[in-house]
Short mmCIF file of all heavy atoms in Angstrom, two decimals:
data_model
loop_
_atom_site.label_atom_id
_atom_site.label_comp_id
_atom_site.label_asym_id
_atom_site.label_seq_id
_atom_site.Cartn_x
_atom_site.Cartn_y
_atom_site.Cartn_z
N ALA O 26 -39.18 16.43 22.72
CA ALA O 26 -39.01 16.58 21.28
C ALA O 26 -38.87 15.20 20.69
O ALA O 26 -38.31 14.26 21.28
CB ALA O 26 -37.80 17.42 21.05
N ASN O 32 -26.35 13.93 9.15
CA ASN O 32 -25.09 14.65 8.80
C ASN O 32 -25.26 15.28 7.41
O ASN O 32 -24.40 16.00 7.01
CB ASN O 32 -23.89 13.68 8.74
CG ASN O 32 -23.51 13.30 10.12
OD1 ASN O 32 -23.61 14.04 11.06
ND2 ASN O 32 -23.01 12.07 10.24
N VAL O 34 -28.05 17.47 5.59
CA VAL O 34 -29.36 18.16 5.57
C VAL O 34 -29.95 18.23 4.13
O VAL O 34 -31.12 18.44 3.96
CB VAL O 34 -29.22 19.55 6.18
CG1 VAL O 34 -28.46 20.49 5.31
CG2 VAL O 34 -30.57 20.13 6.56
N PRO O 46 -45.08 18.17 11.20
CA PRO O 46 -44.14 19.33 11.33
C PRO O 46 -43.01 19.04 12.26
O PRO O 46 -43.17 18.41 13.27
CB PRO O 46 -45.03 20.46 11.87
CG PRO O 46 -46.42 20.01 11.69
CD PRO O 46 -46.39 18.50 11.64
N ILE O 50 -32.53 21.68 13.09
CA ILE O 50 -31.49 22.49 13.82
C ILE O 50 -30.22 22.23 13.02
O ILE O 50 -29.79 21.15 12.75
CB ILE O 50 -31.27 21.95 15.27
CG1 ILE O 50 -32.58 22.16 16.02
CG2 ILE O 50 -30.12 22.74 15.87
CD1 ILE O 50 -32.59 21.57 17.40
N ALA O 54 -22.20 27.21 10.65
CA ALA O 54 -21.09 26.91 9.68
C ALA O 54 -21.69 26.30 8.41
O ALA O 54 -21.11 26.44 7.31
CB ALA O 54 -20.08 25.95 10.32
N LEU O 55 -22.76 25.54 8.53
CA LEU O 55 -23.39 24.95 7.35
C LEU O 55 -23.85 26.03 6.35
O LEU O 55 -23.80 25.85 5.16
CB LEU O 55 -24.59 24.07 7.74
CG LEU O 55 -25.34 23.42 6.62
CD1 LEU O 55 -24.55 22.29 6.01
CD2 LEU O 55 -26.64 22.88 7.16
N LEU O 56 -24.33 27.15 6.91
CA LEU O 56 -24.84 28.20 6.09
C LEU O 56 -23.68 29.03 5.41
O LEU O 56 -23.98 29.67 4.38
CB LEU O 56 -25.71 29.18 6.86
CG LEU O 56 -26.94 28.56 7.57
CD1 LEU O 56 -27.66 29.63 8.29
CD2 LEU O 56 -27.77 27.77 6.59
N ALA O 57 -22.55 28.98 5.93
CA ALA O 57 -21.45 29.82 5.48
C ALA O 57 -21.12 29.60 4.01
O ALA O 57 -20.77 30.54 3.27
CB ALA O 57 -20.20 29.65 6.33
N ARG O 59 -23.15 28.41 1.74
CA ARG O 59 -24.36 28.29 0.93
C ARG O 59 -24.87 29.68 0.58
O ARG O 59 -24.70 30.65 1.32
CB ARG O 59 -25.35 27.48 1.68
CG ARG O 59 -24.77 26.13 2.10
CD ARG O 59 -25.42 25.03 1.69
NE ARG O 59 -25.03 23.67 1.83
CZ ARG O 59 -24.09 23.10 2.56
NH1 ARG O 59 -23.28 23.82 3.29
NH2 ARG O 59 -23.89 21.86 2.51
N TRP O 63 -30.31 28.96 -1.14
CA TRP O 63 -30.30 27.70 -0.55
C TRP O 63 -31.06 27.69 0.72
O TRP O 63 -31.89 26.82 0.97
CB TRP O 63 -28.80 27.22 -0.32
CG TRP O 63 -28.75 25.89 0.37
CD1 TRP O 63 -28.67 24.68 -0.32
CD2 TRP O 63 -28.67 25.57 1.73
NE1 TRP O 63 -28.61 23.67 0.60
CE2 TRP O 63 -28.64 24.24 1.88
CE3 TRP O 63 -28.69 26.40 2.89
CZ2 TRP O 63 -28.58 23.56 3.12
CZ3 TRP O 63 -28.63 25.75 4.08
CH2 TRP O 63 -28.57 24.36 4.25
N GLN O 65 -33.44 29.76 1.58
CA GLN O 65 -34.85 29.96 1.25
C GLN O 65 -35.52 28.69 0.76
O GLN O 65 -36.65 28.37 1.11
CB GLN O 65 -35.01 31.06 0.18
CG GLN O 65 -34.69 32.48 0.72
CD GLN O 65 -35.48 32.84 1.98
OE1 GLN O 65 -36.73 32.60 2.06
NE2 GLN O 65 -34.79 33.27 2.96
N GLN O 72 -42.22 20.48 5.76
CA GLN O 72 -42.10 19.75 7.04
C GLN O 72 -41.42 20.54 8.12
O GLN O 72 -41.59 20.30 9.26
CB GLN O 72 -41.27 18.50 6.81
CG GLN O 72 -42.06 17.37 6.17
CD GLN O 72 -42.07 17.48 4.66
OE1 GLN O 72 -41.58 18.44 4.06
NE2 GLN O 72 -42.67 16.51 3.98
N GLU O 85 -31.71 37.27 9.03
CA GLU O 85 -31.98 38.33 8.09
C GLU O 85 -33.17 38.02 7.28
O GLU O 85 -33.25 36.90 6.83
CB GLU O 85 -30.76 38.55 7.17
CG GLU O 85 -29.48 38.94 7.92
CD GLU O 85 -28.32 39.13 6.98
OE1 GLU O 85 -28.52 39.17 5.74
OE2 GLU O 85 -27.21 39.20 7.50
N ARG O 90 -39.96 31.65 10.77
CA ARG O 90 -39.59 30.25 11.04
C ARG O 90 -38.09 30.10 11.18
O ARG O 90 -37.64 29.12 11.69
CB ARG O 90 -40.08 29.35 9.91
CG ARG O 90 -41.63 29.25 9.90
CD ARG O 90 -42.16 28.47 8.72
NE ARG O 90 -41.60 29.05 7.48
CZ ARG O 90 -41.00 28.38 6.53
NH1 ARG O 90 -40.88 27.09 6.66
NH2 ARG O 90 -40.56 28.94 5.47
N TYR O 93 -32.21 32.18 14.97
CA TYR O 93 -30.78 31.99 15.28
C TYR O 93 -30.70 31.96 16.86
O TYR O 93 -31.28 32.80 17.56
CB TYR O 93 -29.96 33.21 14.81
CG TYR O 93 -29.63 33.10 13.35
CD1 TYR O 93 -30.56 33.47 12.41
CD2 TYR O 93 -28.38 32.64 12.95
CE1 TYR O 93 -30.25 33.33 11.02
CE2 TYR O 93 -28.03 32.57 11.59
CZ TYR O 93 -28.97 32.89 10.63
OH TYR O 93 -28.68 32.80 9.32
N ALA O 99 -28.26 27.23 23.69
CA ALA O 99 -29.20 26.47 22.85
C ALA O 99 -30.08 25.46 23.64
O ALA O 99 -31.26 25.44 23.43
CB ALA O 99 -28.41 25.73 21.78
N GLN O 111 -44.71 22.53 19.92
CA GLN O 111 -45.67 21.38 19.92
C GLN O 111 -47.10 21.83 19.73
O GLN O 111 -47.85 21.22 19.03
CB GLN O 111 -45.50 20.54 21.19
CG GLN O 111 -44.18 19.81 21.22
CD GLN O 111 -43.92 19.12 22.56
OE1 GLN O 111 -44.26 19.67 23.63
NE2 GLN O 111 -43.25 17.98 22.49
N ALA O 112 -47.43 22.92 20.43
CA ALA O 112 -48.81 23.45 20.27
C ALA O 112 -49.05 23.96 18.86
O ALA O 112 -50.13 23.77 18.27
CB ALA O 112 -49.02 24.56 21.30
N SER O 115 -49.41 20.97 16.62
CA SER O 115 -50.71 20.29 16.86
C SER O 115 -51.80 21.11 16.14
O SER O 115 -52.70 20.53 15.52
CB SER O 115 -50.99 20.26 18.36
OG SER O 115 -52.24 19.71 18.61
N MET O 117 -51.46 22.89 13.49
CA MET O 117 -51.32 22.61 12.02
C MET O 117 -51.89 21.28 11.63
O MET O 117 -52.48 21.16 10.58
CB MET O 117 -49.82 22.70 11.61
CG MET O 117 -49.17 24.09 11.73
SD MET O 117 -47.42 24.03 11.37
CE MET O 117 -47.39 23.55 9.67
N ALA O 120 -55.61 21.53 11.33
CA ALA O 120 -56.11 22.41 10.21
C ALA O 120 -56.33 21.63 8.93
O ALA O 120 -55.95 20.61 8.68
CB ALA O 120 -55.19 23.54 9.99
#
Side-chain angles (χ1 to χ4, degrees):
N32 288 327
V34 73
I50 301 173
L55 178 72
L56 302 181
R59 307 237 173 12
W63 179 88
Q65 290 307 310
Q72 284 84 355
E85 295 179 13
R90 293 174 305 129
Y93 281 79
Q111 288 172 326
S115 177
M117 291 174 67

